[in-house]
Structure formats: C-alpha cells, structure tokens
Amino acid sequence: MLSDLTLDARVTALLAIDLQHSNVTRQLAPYAADDVVARTVALADTLRDKGGLIVWVRIDVNQLLSLPADRPLTRAPGAPAMPPEASELVPALGLQRDDIVIVKRSWGAFHGTDLDLHLRRHRIQNVVMSGIATNFGVESTARAAFDRGYRVLFAEDAMSTIDAQMHSFALTSVFPHIGRVRSVAGLCESMK
C-alpha cells in the first residue's frame, strides 16, 4: 500500500510540537489530545527503536503571550501569567535520555532556536511532524523545515487543532505541497 515511501530511520527525526499541558487540556478536533499523545508516543517508540532522533518541542506560553500590544495573542493588561506547568511537556510522552527538547517562543520551532543545528549534527534528512496544533505550530515548523531542505512527512492522525476544518485544510491544501501525509501506522510501516 505505501510502497512509494521508505524511510531510513537513521536519518529521520520526529518533531513533536507543543504536546504540553496548555494544549492537551483543550477541546481539539478531529482527534482528542490523548489520542494525539498516544499516537505520537507510538511513532516515537518505533522511530527510536530503529535508530531515529526524537525531538520534543514546547513553547514558552508566557513568552508567546507577552508579545507587543499590537499582536493578536497579547493577553489583557493585568492578566495573570500562565502557571509554569502550562509550558511543560506532558509526562505521558515518556522522554528518554537521548531525546532532544527544544524551547521555542513563537509558533515555529526553527526561529530563534538551535533545532536546525541539532538536526544537522545528527545528519537528519527527513522530519516527521506531529503535535498540537496542526495549522499553527506544526504547519509553521513544517514550512521552515521545507525551506531548509528537509524531506517533510506529516503524521495526520498524530496532530489536531481547535477546529476540524482547519486540520482538513492544512492536510489537503498546504501539506501535500511541502511533504507527504500519512497515518502513524503507515509511517511506522515505512521505517527501515
């Protein structure tokens, strides 16, 4: 079925975007946050077992929400800061010693971080995208990965967002132009 796709796990990285407390407590569509986390863990376990790199990306929510006043994500004056755990990855991910954690301060994981440096040092050619939210952090990071010459793959059922239409639009109108869209099962099956 997926004979058109073979991934060498040794040059492949999973970029799991924003699977942190502030996002997994939200109402998401088309997939619940618990399902996204579980499928991402399955993908990470398979890739790790075959010699791939796992990168967990989290956003510093308070930094994102403290943008200049003319930016739409700014919080109301005097609003309390988000609790510190809001920006922390959920324990269910099962981080391992050799996994990499990137802290970002905007939607995209490449801007202002050392993500590209880590990927280049590990000779990564392929990046598999998962996370919350499909059309925000995942899409922004995927576009930057494509611009940097990485082969981009999307784990369609290991990402979700605030509206099923937004998810569908990204999967059908954006992602096919910059990479390949597959299920977690299909991606795991393609790893050699």
Side-chain angles (χ1 to χ4, degrees):
M1 178 172 116
L2 292 176
S3 60
D4 67 323
L5 180 62
T6 301
L7 290 176
D8 180 349
R10 297 166 300 168
V11 294
T12 301
L14 170 64
L15 302 184
I17 307 296
D18 301 338
L19 297 174
Q20 59 194 62
H21 293 283
S22 62
N23 287 348
V24 300
T25 57
R26 292 177 170 221
Q27 186 73 26
L28 301 174
Y31 304 110
D34 288 346
D35 294 333
V36 171
V37 168
R39 290 181 188 126
T40 298
V41 168
L43 189 56
D45 289 346
T46 299
L47 184 57
R48 192 184 288 116
D49 288 347
K50 294 182 181 290
L53 180 67
I54 309 304
V55 180
W56 305 103
V57 178
R58 66 181 185 86
I59 190 160
D60 183 327
V61 178
N62 284 313
Q63 290 257 341
L64 179 67
L65 295 176
S66 66
L67 294 169
D70 61 343
R71 301 281 297 269
L73 292 175
T74 304
R75 297 191 70 181
M82 296 284 282
E85 64 273 7
S87 296
E88 296 301 319
L89 297 168
V90 294
L93 298 175
L95 275 67
Q96 303 291 314
R97 185 175 48 105
D98 292 333
D99 295 351
I100 294 171
V101 175
I102 299 291
V103 180
K104 63 185 177 111
R105 289 157 186 83
S106 63
W107 284 355
F110 284 93
H111 178 73
T113 72
D114 57 358
L115 174 58
D116 194 45
L117 180 64
H118 283 290
L119 297 177
R120 303 270 179 220
R121 283 184 176 164
H122 286 89
R123 294 181 169 78
I124 297 300
Q125 297 171 14
N126 311 307
V127 293
V128 177
M129 305 296 308
S130 77
I132 301 170
T134 306
N135 59 314
F136 296 111
V138 174
E139 182 176 331
S140 183
T141 301
R143 287 174 181 259
F146 177 80
D147 287 345
R148 286 166 173 78
Y150 295 102
R151 180 181 185 204
V152 183
L153 302 112
F154 298 93
E156 181 276 329
D157 52 348
M159 59 180 76
S160 200
T161 190
I162 56 176
D163 180 273
Q165 275 188 296
M166 292 176 169
H167 179 82
S168 178
F169 179 82
L171 287 167
T172 60
S173 300
V174 178
F175 294 170
H177 296 284
I178 60 175
R180 293 187 179 191
V181 178
R182 298 289 190 270
S183 66
V184 167
L187 288 166
C188 289
E189 182 180 301
S190 71
M191 289 181 204
K192 308 296 179 220

